[in-house]
């Protein structure tokens, strides 16, 4: 049985696949440039500026014993590209959207609360800083 079958996305670093239950922080934002035209004082022009990446990807997964995991060391730089493959609903063979992130380094790792009085899953949370976000369809 494939433990990643319940996910509608797959995460790859190089040739190694990792499973996550939740990913957030994939976004782009354009800066706004305000231009005041000489002679007209009743309005300003707002023009699009540089496109920037906020640069913070948040990943969550259930903690388990398994293969070496590269996200546990804060400050560690990842030399390979992180790729997120989105699978279309019900289609494993169809090509979906792909997000590729480069210039990654581990900003933060946090384990969920350990509580002996509750029967809950231990969740690892990771924050990765990235320099570039590429989107392909």
């Amino acid at each position: 049985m494939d433990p990643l079958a319940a996910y509608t996305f797959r995460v790859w670093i190089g040739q190694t696949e990792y499973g996550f239950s939740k990913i957030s922080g994939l976004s782009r934002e354009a800066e706004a440039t305000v231009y005041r035209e000489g002679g007209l004082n009743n309005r300003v022009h707002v023009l699009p500026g540089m496109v920037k990446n906020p640069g913070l990807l948040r990943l969550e997964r259930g903690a388990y014993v398994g293969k070496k995991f590269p996200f546990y060391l804060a400050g560690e730089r990842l030399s390979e590209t992180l790729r997120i493959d989105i699978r279309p609903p019900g289609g494993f063979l169809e090509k979906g959207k792909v997000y590729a992130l480069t210039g990654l380094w581990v900003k933060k790792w946090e384990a969920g609360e350990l509580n002996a009085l509750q029967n809950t899953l231990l969740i690892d949370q990771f924050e990765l800083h990235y320099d570039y976000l590429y989107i392909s369809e």
Side-chain angles (χ1 to χ4, degrees):
M1 182 174 153
D2 184 3
L4 304 177
Y7 300 150
T8 56
F9 56 90
R10 303 266 174 134
V11 178
W12 299 84
I13 298 177
Q15 300 298 318
T16 307
E17 181 179 11
Y18 297 94
F20 291 95
S21 57
K22 186 176 179 181
I23 297 178
S24 61
L26 291 170
S27 64
R28 283 189 172 160
E29 181 180 348
E31 295 177 350
T33 302
V34 177
Y35 177 73
R36 297 185 188 278
E37 187 175 345
L40 290 175
N41 296 326
N42 60 350
R43 66 176 172 225
V44 296
H45 299 282
V46 180
L47 306 171
M50 291 180 52
V51 174
K52 62 179 181 176
N53 291 326
L56 190 60
L57 184 69
R58 288 171 294 284
L59 307 157
E60 293 183 16
R61 72 179 196 137
Y64 69 97
V65 177
K67 56 187 157 189
K68 182 182 174 206
F69 201 67
F71 301 149
Y72 285 122
L73 298 174
E76 184 83 14
R77 184 164 286 281
L78 304 176
S79 59
E80 297 181 284
T81 300
L82 184 140
R83 193 178 82 236
I84 303 169
D85 295 335
I86 308 297
R87 294 186 291 179
F92 294 102
L93 300 177
E94 298 176 37
K95 183 165 175 62
K97 187 174 282 197
V98 176
Y99 299 96
L101 296 100
T102 60
L104 295 157
W105 57 273
V106 181
K107 181 178 179 191
K108 180 180 177 182
W109 164 71
E110 181 179 355
E113 181 182 53
L114 297 171
N115 188 343
L117 301 176
Q118 293 181 348
N119 186 17
T120 59
L121 185 65
L122 176 62
I123 301 292
D124 280 335
Q125 299 173 352
F126 306 95
E127 289 184 0
L128 303 177
H129 182 274
Y130 61 91
D131 291 334
Y132 300 102
L133 168 65
Y134 304 98
I135 304 170
S136 66
E137 296 189 37

